[in-house]
Amino acid sequence: MKARIIPIVRSVRTTLPPGRDLVAPPEGELLDLRQRRVRDLRISVTDRCNFRCVYCMPKEIFDDDYAFLPRSKLLSFEEIMRVARIFVDQGVEKIRLTGGEPLLRKHIENLIEQLAQLPVEITLTTNGSLLRKKARALKDAGLHRVTVSLDGIDDAVFKRMNDVDYAVADVLDGIAAAAEVGLAPIKVNCVVKRGANDDQILPLARHFRGSGHILRFIEYMDVGSSNGWRMDEVVPSAEVVARIHAEFPLQAVDANYLGEVAERWRYADGGGEIGVISSVTQAFCATCTRIRLSTEGQLYTCLFAQSGHDLRAMLRQGAGDEAMRREIAAVWRGRDDRYSEIRTAATILPGSKVEMSYIGG
Ligand code: SAM
Ligand code: SF4
Ligand code: SF4
């Protein structure tokens, strides 16, 4: 049966507020088919995780029988460094380590120490469970900032979301540890799933108001094929902002730079800033400058891609830097992705989309 084509996106963000215009890219800059620069490289360092968040790694699928990648298939730190260096030479300004849970990768601080030699910002997204233990080593290795995921401030709700009985207090302690060593400003990400944790929007806002940490609400996305995503479980960012605004008046803040995914708001009374990431209801593909390197060295030009470009094979077959550079440039130049702009009933049918825990969020 032919799928009905139902446009889901409500609006497409293509412009920036006044005064934040697109700066012309330097001559010779790598541009894709939609004139977008490559600016952010996200590197997944493991496909494993100690949480089983219901929207990411549901227990029923990511169980004891799940085939995680064997060690031999993971890119080594040396291989990651080679790819990262080539990307930085091609214009990348920010590197984010992710996963799976990146702090589960053994000796991650050694990789950070090497990456920190590059003239770019190095950040990491984590569930916070190992932050208390690792924050100092991460900071000393040269990590600049962390983003910590936290889907509720009520223990029962959070435990249902992470599905491994992990307590809120331990994540808060991880955030405190990161703040103590100066991995700031810390962003705290909450994925909102209607009926599961949308009752946490206000309690989270109350908790982080005035803390100096930037709380951001992310629309639940149809990444991967295992989370059983449904549109009616998405809480549009406009609704999140309206709910908070009703208790704490908010004012819009200009984007920091072109392609910033979060829409920024600040509390009118000076209680700090929050952000919303509207990947579903307000697509930002037009300014998407991100590329992803999977744990096993596949290069993905979109979070929703169905296949990647195998860099590990090239690396292990002894390709030189120039050949790697040409390959990477060709992948970016051929990039035409804009999944969130064209998301339809057809594209969200269960299929072979790659999992978030594999590609890296
Ligand atoms: N384990 C780390 C963590 O949770 O922060 C890093 C990897 S996780 C895949 C990166 C980010 O993706 C997290 O903030 C997570 O909440 C978000 N994420 C995962 N699945 C998602 C989905 N279906 N929709 C929206 N965000 C999602
Ligand atoms: Fe693990 Fe992060 Fe996915 Fe949660 S969102 S299951 S912490 S990888
Ligand atoms: Fe970028 Fe793909 Fe997300 Fe669009 S859907 S913003 S192209 S990663």
Side-chain angles (χ1 to χ4, degrees):
M1 196 181 67
K2 222 172 150 206
R4 276 192 309 143
I5 309 292
I6 308 169
I8 284 174
V9 66
R10 284 158 177 74
S11 66
V12 172
R13 200 181 335 153
T14 53
T15 54
L16 278 177
R20 305 272 172 163
D21 296 339
L22 171 61
V23 177
E27 214 170 305
E29 174 117 23
L30 197 54
L31 295 176
D32 73 4
L33 292 173
R34 298 186 173 274
Q35 303 304 302
R36 298 168 294 194
R37 302 162 61 184
V38 61
R39 189 173 180 278
D40 312 86
L41 172 64
R42 298 194 169 193
I43 303 174
S44 172
V45 292
T46 177
D47 60 338
R48 292 165 198 256
C49 189
N50 52 345
F51 283 17
R52 286 292 176 272
C53 301
V54 290
Y55 53 78
C56 180
M57 297 180 78
K59 247 182 189 165
E60 314 78 71
I61 292 171
F62 293 86
D63 58 12
D64 289 347
D65 296 330
Y66 188 84
F68 289 102
L69 293 169
R71 206 179 157 67
S72 61
K73 291 209 167 167
L74 311 191
L75 285 193
S76 66
F77 289 170
E78 200 186 353
E79 289 168 331
I80 292 175
M81 267 311 287
R82 268 196 75 194
V83 176
R85 194 172 282 123
I86 293 167
F87 265 110
V88 172
D89 287 345
Q90 307 250 38
V92 157
E93 296 164 4
K94 254 169 94 173
I95 294 179
R96 176 173 298 279
L97 298 176
T98 177
E101 175 45 45
L103 297 186
L104 288 181
R105 178 79 186 248
K106 268 201 192 123
H107 309 304
I108 183 79
E109 54 280 10
N110 295 351
L111 173 63
I112 292 170
E113 201 169 342
Q114 293 175 50
L115 289 170
Q117 307 303 316
L118 301 172
V120 294
E121 186 184 37
I122 313 288
T123 64
L124 177 144
T125 306
T126 173
N127 62 24
S129 59
L130 293 168
L131 258 184
R132 169 57 67 190
K133 203 161 129 198
K134 297 228 164 192
R136 169 50 61 195
L138 296 172
K139 176 71 181 176
D140 290 349
L143 187 69
H144 294 118
R145 289 190 297 106
V146 283
T147 296
V148 183
S149 302
L150 180 62
D151 297 326
I153 200 75
D154 175 87
D155 227 22
V157 178
F158 182 56
K159 285 181 175 179
R160 273 204 303 277
M161 293 300 284
N162 65 54
D163 217 8
V164 292
D165 218 27
Y166 202 82
V168 171
D170 293 331
V171 179
L172 294 178
D173 186 48
I175 293 173
E180 283 158 25
V181 301
L183 286 169
I186 297 173
K187 291 180 180 157
V188 178
N189 279 357
C190 169
V191 174
V192 186
K193 190 175 173 197
R194 195 183 294 283
N197 69 335
D198 59 317
D199 62 346
Q200 296 298 295
I201 295 170
L202 275 168
L204 277 165
R206 287 181 200 122
H207 181 89
F208 285 106
R209 238 172 76 83
S211 67
H213 309 322
I214 303 170
L215 177 63
R216 308 188 314 169
F217 295 96
I218 305 177
E219 287 178 352
Y220 172 38
M221 288 185 282
D222 52 318
V223 264
S225 309
S226 61
N227 60 11
W229 182 89
R230 295 202 331 245
M231 183 63 202
D232 60 4
E233 289 172 334
V234 177
V235 179
S237 294
E239 183 180 330
V240 172
V241 170
R243 285 203 212 176
I244 298 174
H245 182 71
E247 181 164 330
F248 305 112
L250 292 168
Q251 298 167 337
V253 183
D254 283 356
N256 279 315
Y257 55 86
L258 180 81
E260 186 171 36
V261 295
E263 190 180 287
R264 301 168 61 204
W265 295 83
R266 72 167 150 250
Y267 295 108
D269 67 358
E273 186 173 322
I274 65 155
V276 288
I277 301 179
S278 320
S279 340
V280 178
T281 62
Q282 205 188 15
F284 35 76
C285 301
T287 56
C288 177
T289 53
R290 290 177 290 286
I291 193 158
R292 292 172 160 88
L293 181 66
S294 82
T295 315
E296 56 176 340
Q298 296 279 326
L299 199 55
Y300 287 87
T301 56
C302 178
L303 190 51
F304 298 91
Q306 291 186 310
S307 62
H309 304 263
D310 191 358
L311 292 190
R312 189 188 61 201
M314 282 190 83
L315 287 163
R316 294 192 181 171
Q317 281 157 14
D321 280 357
E322 184 49 28
M324 296 291 300
R325 193 194 61 74
R326 276 202 305 271
E327 176 71 11
I328 286 171
V331 168
W332 188 262
R333 289 206 172 96
R335 176 184 190 247
D336 195 26
D337 305 279
R338 56 189 192 105
Y339 177 88
S340 290
E341 284 185 3
I342 55 172
R343 179 186 278 111
T344 64
T347 60
I348 59 173
L349 283 177
S352 49
K353 279 185 296 179
V354 22
E355 296 296 334
M356 184 81 132
S357 54
Y358 166 85
I359 194 175

